[in-house]
Amino acid sequence: MSIRTLEFENAHFLQSLFAGEAGLLKVVARTFGLKVTTRDNWIRLESEDDAPIEKAAELFHRLEEARRDGAEISEHSFRFALDAVAQGEGEALKELMAYRLLGTSTKPPVAPKTRGQLEYLKAMDQNDVVFGVGPAGTGKTYLAMARSLAALKNREVSRLILTRPAVEAGEALGFLPGDLKEKILPYLRPLYDALYDMLEPDEVEKMIERGMIEIAPLAYMRGRTLNHAAIILDEAQNTTREQMFMFLTRLGAESRCVVTGDPSQVDLKQKSGSGLHEAMVALNG
C-alpha cells in the first residue's frame, strides 16, 4: 500500500482547492482508483500502486498553483482540472487558469471556464476575423466583449463598435415610441448588459460619450469603413446574406471583428437565407 500526505498552510486554503465540496474528493477517488482522506490542513492519498497517487498529487499541485495565482476554484473548474490531469494535459489547465481579462476592485476578471472558451479567446488573439458559433449560454458574446474591451483599454484599437440586426424574436412588437435611440435600445440591451457587467457604470458612460464605444443596429453600417476598431456582430444568424457580406467588407486598417451567432435560433422569415449559415458554408474548414 502506497500512502502520500499533502500538507497546506491551513484548512481554509485546502478547502478552496476543491471549492469546499467534499463530494468532489469522492470523484477524485473514483477517477484515479484510490482512497482520499482529508482533515484540517492535510489530504491523504492511498492506493495499491504509485501511479494513481502521482496523478492525484499532480491535480492538487495544479490547483494550488492556480489558486496562488489568484484563480477562484469552482466545482466546474475543479472537474475540468480533474479531466485535464486524467488525460495527461495538466499544462492546458495551467494555461486556462492563467488567462484573465479586465477586472476592477468591484468587478471580477473575466476568465474562460472550458477548453473551448480558451481556444475561442486564443483565436481572437491570433486572428483578425473570428466566428463564434454555438448554442445559447456558451459565452460567445460575453467573451468577445471581454476580449474587445481589453484591446480597447490596452490601446490595441481606438474604439469598440457593437452591432446586431434589429430582428424580433418571433413576436411582432409593432411601432416603438421614442426617438431613434429609444427605438433600438430593446434590441441592443444584451450588449449594454455585458458592458455594465464588466466595467463600472461611470466608465461605460464616459467611453460612450467620447465615441470610444459605439452601439448601433447593423443597418447603419453600410457605407462605412471602420479603421483601428474592434467590431462585434452579435446574433449574426439573423443577418441576411447581403447584410453579412456588407458587414465583412466594413473592416478597415488595423481592425478586427468577431461574429457570434446560433444557427438554431434564426428569426428570419426565410430561415434558409441566414448570412451566418452562408458564411459557415463558404468558410467551412
Side-chain angles (χ1 to χ4, degrees), residues 199-216:
L199 300 177
E200 300 295 342
D202 291 346
E203 187 176 12
V204 174
E205 296 301 332
K206 286 180 181 178
M207 285 183 167
I208 292 175
E209 288 175 8
R210 294 173 183 172
M212 296 172 67
I213 296 178
E214 177 185 344
I215 304 179

Side-chain angles (χ1 to χ4, degrees), residues 8-17 63-64 67-68:
F8 302 89
E9 62 254 41
N10 55 59
H12 178 74
F13 181 83
L14 172 56
Q15 290 183 10
S16 73
L17 300 185
L63 291 169
E64 181 183 8
R67 191 72 185 88
R68 295 193 188 283

Side-chain angles (χ1 to χ4, degrees), residues 246-275:
M246 178 272 291
F247 172 77
L248 292 175
T249 53
R250 298 307 92 204
L251 266 70
E254 298 181 32
S255 286
R256 60 178 68 173
C257 84
V258 182
V259 178
T260 69
D262 178 0
S264 69
Q265 297 192 58
V266 178
D267 297 312
L268 297 171
K269 292 181 180 178
Q270 296 293 331
K271 295 186 184 296
S272 60
S274 169

